[in-house]
Amino acid sequence: MSNKLFVLVIVLLVFVAFIVVSVDKDETPGEKLSQMLPLGDKTTPTVEVSASESRKYEANEFVTVACLELHGKDKELLFKQLTSRRASIFEQMKNIDVTESDIEQNSVEMRKEWSYDKGTRSLTGYVVSQFFAIKSSNRATAAAVIAALSAELDVEISHTSATLKNEAELKKGIIKAAGEKALETASSYAESVGGKLGKVISVTGNGDGLSFRNPVLGARKAAFYDGATADNLSAVADSVEISASIHLVAELLQ
C-alpha cells in the first residue's frame, strides 16, 4: 500500500509542475517584472503658438440704416402719412441711382404716447415708425444717401457701414494664412531644440472680425454724419480690414 501511495504522490507532483510550466511558458521573467512595475509618464511633449493675420480691402458695399418716424393723434391718418412719406423717400433714392430692390424695410411699428398729471395717465397720441436699410455700391452714392436723408426732418440716420460683398470668401483666406503662419512658427520652435513638428493636436480661433478704415474716423468705426453733403466722402468708411487669430498645439518629436 505504501508503494502505491508513493507512486500516486509522484504523479500528482508531475501534473502540477506541467500546469505551472504551461501557464508561464509565454512570459519571460522580464515581462512579468515589467507588469509589476508602475508605468512611466508617456505624455508626448507639445509646442503651443499663436499667430494672427490681417489684411485691408477697399469696401465695395455700403449700408445706411435710417428710421422714418411720425407723431400724431389720429392712427389712420398717421399710417397714410407714413405711406406717403415712404414713397417720397423712395423717389429721392431713385434719383441717386438707388432702386427699390436696394432698400430693405422692416414692418411698421406703432406705440402710444402718454401724459401724466397727478398720477393720472392720459393718451396724447401715437408714434408710427419704420426702419430702412439702404444699400449702395460705392462711397459716392452712400454719401448722397446720407445727404438726402439728413435733410428730412422726420428721418433719423442710425449709421452707415462699409462692408465687402465677398467677405466670407476673403475671411477663409485670412484664416488659412493665419494657420500657415502658426504652423511655420511652431516648426521653427521645434527645430530650435533639435526636434521636429508632429501632428496637430488642436487649433483654436482666438477671435476674428472686421474693422473699418476711414480717413477721419480711424479704425473700427462705422461712418455716420447726420447733415453730411453728397460730396463729403469722409462721411463713409473707405475700406474694411479682416483679421483672424489662431492658437495651435502640435506634438514635439525628438
Side-chain angles (χ1 to χ4, degrees), residues 23-35:
V23 171
D24 292 341
K25 67 179 181 179
D26 294 329
E27 295 180 354
T28 66
E31 288 173 334
K32 288 195 288 185
L33 179 62
S34 67
Q35 292 176 6

Side-chain angles (χ1 to χ4, degrees), residues 1-34:
M1 292 292 292
S2 59
N3 290 337
K4 291 182 179 180
L5 182 60
F6 178 77
V7 172
L8 180 60
V9 170
I10 294 299
V11 171
L12 288 174
L13 289 174
V14 171
F15 180 74
V16 170
F18 175 79
I19 293 175
V20 171
V21 170
S22 298
V23 171
D24 292 341
K25 67 179 181 179
D26 294 329
E27 295 180 354
T28 66
E31 288 173 334
K32 288 195 288 185
L33 179 62
S34 67

Side-chain angles (χ1 to χ4, degrees), residues 2-175:
S2 59
N3 290 337
K4 291 182 179 180
L5 182 60
F6 178 77
V7 172
L8 180 60
V9 170
I10 294 299
V11 171
L12 288 174
L13 289 174
V14 171
F15 180 74
V16 170
F18 175 79
I19 293 175
V20 171
V21 170
S22 298
V23 171
D24 292 341
K25 67 179 181 179
D26 294 329
E27 295 180 354
T28 66
E31 288 173 334
K32 288 195 288 185
L33 179 62
S34 67
Q35 292 176 6
M36 292 184 289
L37 294 176
L39 293 175
D41 185 7
K42 295 183 179 180
T43 303
T44 303
T46 60
V47 179
E48 296 188 29
V49 299
S50 294
S52 61
E53 180 73 12
S54 64
R55 295 174 189 171
K56 189 173 70 171
Y57 301 92
E58 184 178 352
N60 54 23
E61 186 173 73
F62 305 85
V63 180
T64 300
V65 177
C67 179
L68 171 61
E69 185 174 278
L70 300 175
H71 298 249
K73 295 183 178 181
D74 188 322
K75 287 190 295 184
E76 299 299 325
L77 179 59
L78 277 176
F79 280 113
K80 290 179 180 179
Q81 290 175 340
L82 186 70
T83 300
S84 176
R85 292 290 297 113
R86 181 174 56 223
S88 175
I89 291 172
F90 281 19
E91 189 63 31
Q92 289 187 64
M93 295 298 101
K94 190 183 300 183
N95 293 334
I96 52 179
D97 296 328
V98 175
T99 65
E100 195 166 331
S101 61
D102 295 323
I103 305 174
E104 179 183 338
Q105 50 187 322
N106 286 357
S107 299
V108 176
E109 298 180 1
M110 187 197 75
R111 70 176 187 272
K112 298 174 183 177
E113 289 188 315
W114 303 90
S115 65
Y116 295 85
D117 182 23
K118 298 179 182 180
T120 302
R121 187 177 72 165
S122 301
L123 180 65
T124 58
Y126 302 90
V127 180
V128 292
S129 60
Q130 188 170 24
F131 275 90
F132 302 92
I134 304 171
K135 290 184 179 180
S136 308
S137 58
N138 57 72
R139 291 180 72 206
T141 301
V145 168
I146 294 173
L149 294 179
S150 63
E152 301 294 328
L153 297 180
D154 48 15
V155 174
E156 293 290 339
I157 302 174
S158 173
H159 63 275
T160 296
S161 298
T163 61
L164 298 166
K165 293 178 182 178
N166 55 338
E167 175 191 324
E169 196 62 33
L170 292 172
K171 183 177 284 189
K172 287 181 182 179
I174 298 300
I175 293 174

